Amino acid sequence: MRQKLETIYNSLFSYFGPRNWWQAKTPFEMIVGAILTQAVSWGNVQKAIKNLEEADLLTPEKLFQAEEERIEELIKPTRYFRMKTKKLKAFLNYLFTTHQGDLTQMFNLPLLELREQLLSVYGIGRETVDSILLYVGNFPIFVVDEYTRRIFSRLGLLPEKISYEQMQEFFHTNLPPDTRLFNEFHAQIDALGNQICRPNPDCMHCPLAQLCEKAQGSKI
Ligand code: SF4
């Protein structure tokens, strides 16, 4: 299975090239992006981050002190801006209550302990937590999502009905714990799910067509 995953990764990488995730000026900006990106395009997240930056609120201290109404106004492009403001505030509350507002201290915790703490923060789900751990904390944890489920079930490597933890376990079991690999592999899966392996897949242009159970089956 490891060899198969490596072939998939190499095929995707040759097709899409390096995805360069995750570009941000500071770790805090990356965390804000991870929280805001739920159910909205990355372009809209960037608009909200630019608004926060121009308002000089893109530090833990300043955002923690800012009025909720002001944050809501600035992050309006991300939809569900009231709920997302509450999530940002919940994260900041956790950061200041548990780690004195210090991200370095937070990321010094062991992986599983930090994951458990972050999962207990209001509104921050597994995918967001794991994105923060991988892309900001550089922990070797594989981020999975609905694109992963769709692609790997169509490839015939995972059942469609599988839990988040089981999907993640599949990658942890079959790949070396390599942060850079996990970072790029998830980004490649995102590119395929977003551009080609959509609900109505464009198998003709898919770099994985030769390896895919669904594509090969439809030829028969
Ligand atoms: S060949 Fe088609 S179904 Fe298979 S992964 Fe590619 S786009 Fe998805």
Side-chain angles (χ1 to χ4, degrees), residues 63-97:
L63 204 59
F64 189 44
Q65 285 160 10
E67 300 278 336
E68 286 201 14
E69 294 71 25
R70 181 146 165 69
I71 300 173
E72 285 172 4
E73 194 58 37
L74 294 166
I75 68 164
K76 242 180 194 159
T78 64
R79 287 160 68 192
Y80 314 114
F81 52 89
R82 289 204 179 88
M83 194 196 297
K84 287 182 179 178
T85 297
K86 291 204 183 330
K87 291 179 183 184
L88 284 173
K89 282 289 191 184
F91 170 75
L92 287 161
N93 200 30
Y94 153 76
L95 183 66
F96 279 87
T97 309

Side-chain angles (χ1 to χ4, degrees), residues 12-64:
L12 291 172
F13 192 86
S14 305
Y15 188 85
F16 291 110
R19 305 299 296 160
N20 298 319
W21 276 24
W22 183 319
Q23 308 228 357
K25 294 190 188 108
T26 63
F28 183 62
E29 181 184 316
M30 290 167 92
I31 292 173
V32 171
I35 294 171
L36 295 184
T37 199
Q38 294 164 13
V40 74
S41 74
W42 186 245
N44 284 29
V45 174
Q46 284 177 314
K47 282 182 201 159
I49 285 181
K50 190 162 174 275
N51 290 346
L52 290 169
E53 190 177 19
E54 285 174 0
D56 195 21
L57 288 183
L58 216 43
T59 65
E61 295 75 15
K62 288 184 178 163
L63 204 59
F64 189 44

Side-chain angles (χ1 to χ4, degrees), residues 150-152 154-155 192 196-198 200-216:
R150 187 198 296 158
I151 293 166
F152 282 80
R154 286 175 172 176
L155 287 170
L192 188 73
I196 296 178
C197 195
R198 296 162 68 94
N200 190 8
D202 179 10
C203 302
M204 291 278 282
H205 297 102
C206 179
L208 304 184
Q210 293 301 320
L211 308 162
C212 179
E213 205 171 74
K214 180 176 171 66
Q216 296 302 314

Side-chain angles (χ1 to χ4, degrees), residues 57-195:
L57 288 183
L58 216 43
T59 65
E61 295 75 15
K62 288 184 178 163
L63 204 59
F64 189 44
Q65 285 160 10
E67 300 278 336
E68 286 201 14
E69 294 71 25
R70 181 146 165 69
I71 300 173
E72 285 172 4
E73 194 58 37
L74 294 166
I75 68 164
K76 242 180 194 159
T78 64
R79 287 160 68 192
Y80 314 114
F81 52 89
R82 289 204 179 88
M83 194 196 297
K84 287 182 179 178
T85 297
K86 291 204 183 330
K87 291 179 183 184
L88 284 173
K89 282 289 191 184
F91 170 75
L92 287 161
N93 200 30
Y94 153 76
L95 183 66
F96 279 87
T97 309
T98 315
H99 301 290
Q100 290 76 50
D102 184 349
L103 286 176
T104 307
Q105 179 180 316
M106 183 184 96
F107 283 118
N108 273 339
L109 282 183
L111 169 60
L112 293 182
E113 192 179 339
L114 177 55
R115 188 171 192 266
E116 207 175 307
Q117 285 190 6
L118 289 172
L119 283 173
S120 71
V121 177
Y122 162 79
I124 304 197
R126 289 169 297 193
E127 192 185 328
T128 306
V129 166
D130 291 340
S131 296
I132 291 170
L133 292 169
L134 174 65
Y135 288 100
V136 194
N138 287 314
F139 286 104
I141 187 158
F142 205 95
V143 182
V144 295
D145 56 11
E146 286 310 306
Y147 287 157
T148 319
R149 180 192 309 280
R150 187 198 296 158
I151 293 166
F152 282 80
S153 62
R154 286 175 172 176
L155 287 170
L157 298 179
L158 289 176
E160 205 178 338
K161 288 197 190 320
I162 186 172
S163 70
Y164 184 97
E165 281 76 18
Q166 286 170 322
M167 264 198 290
Q168 191 173 54
E169 184 61 26
F170 168 78
F171 290 96
H172 286 168
T173 305
N174 291 300
L175 289 173
D178 178 340
T179 301
R180 280 181 57 191
L181 172 67
F182 286 7
N183 175 327
E184 189 62 45
F185 207 158
H186 174 67
Q188 295 291 334
I189 290 168
D190 178 88
L192 188 73
N194 188 30
Q195 297 174 33

